[in-house]
Amino acid sequence: EISEMSERSKQNVAHGLAWSYYIGYLKIVLPRVKMSMEEFSRANPNLVACRKTWKLHILVPLSCDVYDDLEKADSNIQYVTDLTETTLARAGIKKRIYKPSLYAIRDEEEQLWHCAVEYATPLQTLYAMSQDECAAFSREERLEQAKLFYRSLEEILKSSKECADAYQLIAYEEPEEAETHFLSREIVWHLRQEHHEEIAVLEESHPHTPSTTLDSAELNLQISVSDLPQPLRTDGF
């Protein structure tokens, strides 16, 4: 009965996507990010000096509008190189390759910030479902699922020892009117916060927060524990 209720409300969609993303990708990539960034930094000592930025920055647009090419999303974002790849045999694929990409982000002062950044790919699934009649996903349901995906992924990663301090989730709502360099500003804001942590600089009493950047409290959907997807068995097996 609980499973059927979750199916009808579609609450298990985002929760399942978050777990799949974690198990099938992040749990493999994140533990290796710092080592890959360190290797790149040794080869390019003037580019990525701030260790606090040695993590994978995961973009979570609540619109689920994901670009396949970040350079087309914002011209201030430029591809630099791929980090050290990880090759594993997965589900019958002999040599599956995992390799995050490093980008240079140009800020309003023409300074370059280097970081590994990519979209949360399951958002493409949520967007596609909202465009498919078979899924019967409305725009409002898609937004709710995007928020639930973020909250679920955040909780999963917080509990993961392997992935600790190796990621930065960046959830945001895009402005109604298109802004050419909106995305690069969002990323740079987070990089600056990480840089401040690295050099232990005291911030202002009221630090600026982009109006579109969202935190966990704002993404609270007021979903009770009983509403979330539950195991089919409750007898401990």
Side-chain angles (χ1 to χ4, degrees):
E1 183 179 354
I2 291 174
S3 179
E4 290 177 359
M5 289 172 61
S6 296
E7 187 69 35
R8 287 196 298 270
S9 65
K10 301 186 178 74
Q11 289 173 357
N12 57 343
V13 174
H15 191 69
L17 285 175
W19 271 105
S20 178
Y21 184 43
Y22 168 69
I23 296 294
Y25 181 70
L26 295 181
K27 195 174 181 181
I28 298 169
V29 170
L30 292 182
R32 296 168 171 82
V33 165
K34 286 190 180 296
M35 181 180 65
S36 297
M37 292 293 291
E38 185 174 4
E39 291 175 359
F40 180 84
S41 184
R42 283 201 301 267
N44 304 271
N46 297 325
L47 295 186
V48 193
C50 179
R51 289 178 174 271
K52 275 290 184 179
T53 64
W54 292 4
K55 56 185 69 174
L56 182 62
H57 297 76
I58 304 170
L59 304 175
V60 186
L62 298 184
S63 66
C64 298
D65 192 5
V66 172
Y67 285 81
D68 288 325
D69 190 338
L70 274 170
E71 294 174 307
K72 291 182 179 179
D74 189 323
S75 60
N76 277 351
I77 303 175
Q78 296 296 318
Y79 169 79
V80 177
T81 187
D82 290 329
L83 295 178
T84 306
E85 67 182 41
T86 299
T87 304
L88 298 174
R90 297 282 289 183
I93 302 172
K94 284 291 186 180
K95 297 181 180 180
R96 187 161 187 174
I97 297 174
Y98 302 83
K99 52 178 181 180
S101 296
L102 188 76
Y103 287 86
I105 319 294
R106 188 180 304 277
D107 65 17
E108 63 277 4
E109 298 174 353
E110 299 298 311
Q111 178 182 351
L112 291 179
W113 299 75
H114 292 82
C115 70
V117 59
E118 61 189 53
Y119 286 102
T121 51
L123 295 177
Q124 290 181 311
T125 300
L126 289 177
Y127 188 86
M129 289 178 69
S130 70
Q131 305 297 308
D132 194 312
E133 293 182 1
C134 296
F137 238 39
S138 68
R139 181 176 298 181
E140 291 74 19
E141 287 173 324
R142 185 181 71 197
L143 175 60
E144 182 178 331
Q145 290 296 312
K147 291 180 179 180
L148 182 56
F149 170 80
Y150 174 88
R151 294 293 305 281
S152 299
L153 183 60
E154 182 182 46
E155 289 302 314
I156 293 168
L157 289 173
K158 279 182 178 179
S159 301
S160 173
K161 294 181 180 179
E162 303 104 313
C163 300
D165 200 33
Y167 66 91
Q168 175 66 57
L169 297 179
I170 304 177
Y172 59 89
E173 287 184 315
E174 295 176 337
E176 294 183 3
E177 295 185 6
E179 295 183 23
T180 307
H181 301 303
F182 164 78
L183 185 56
S184 58
R185 286 200 303 271
E186 289 292 317
I187 299 171
V188 167
W189 185 86
H190 284 274
L191 293 173
R192 281 175 173 155
Q193 301 311 303
E194 294 161 14
H195 185 69
H196 289 330
E197 292 176 14
E198 174 77 6
I199 61 177
V201 173
L202 294 176
E203 298 181 351
E204 297 177 1
S205 300
H206 303 286
H208 166 69
T209 302
S211 59
T212 51
T213 299
L214 306 176
D215 58 24
S216 298
E218 292 175 283
L219 291 172
N220 188 351
L221 301 179
Q222 296 183 341
I223 297 174
S224 67
V225 175
S226 61
D227 290 332
L228 290 173
Q230 302 292 325
L232 296 180
R233 296 282 296 276
T234 57
D235 54 5
F237 292 91

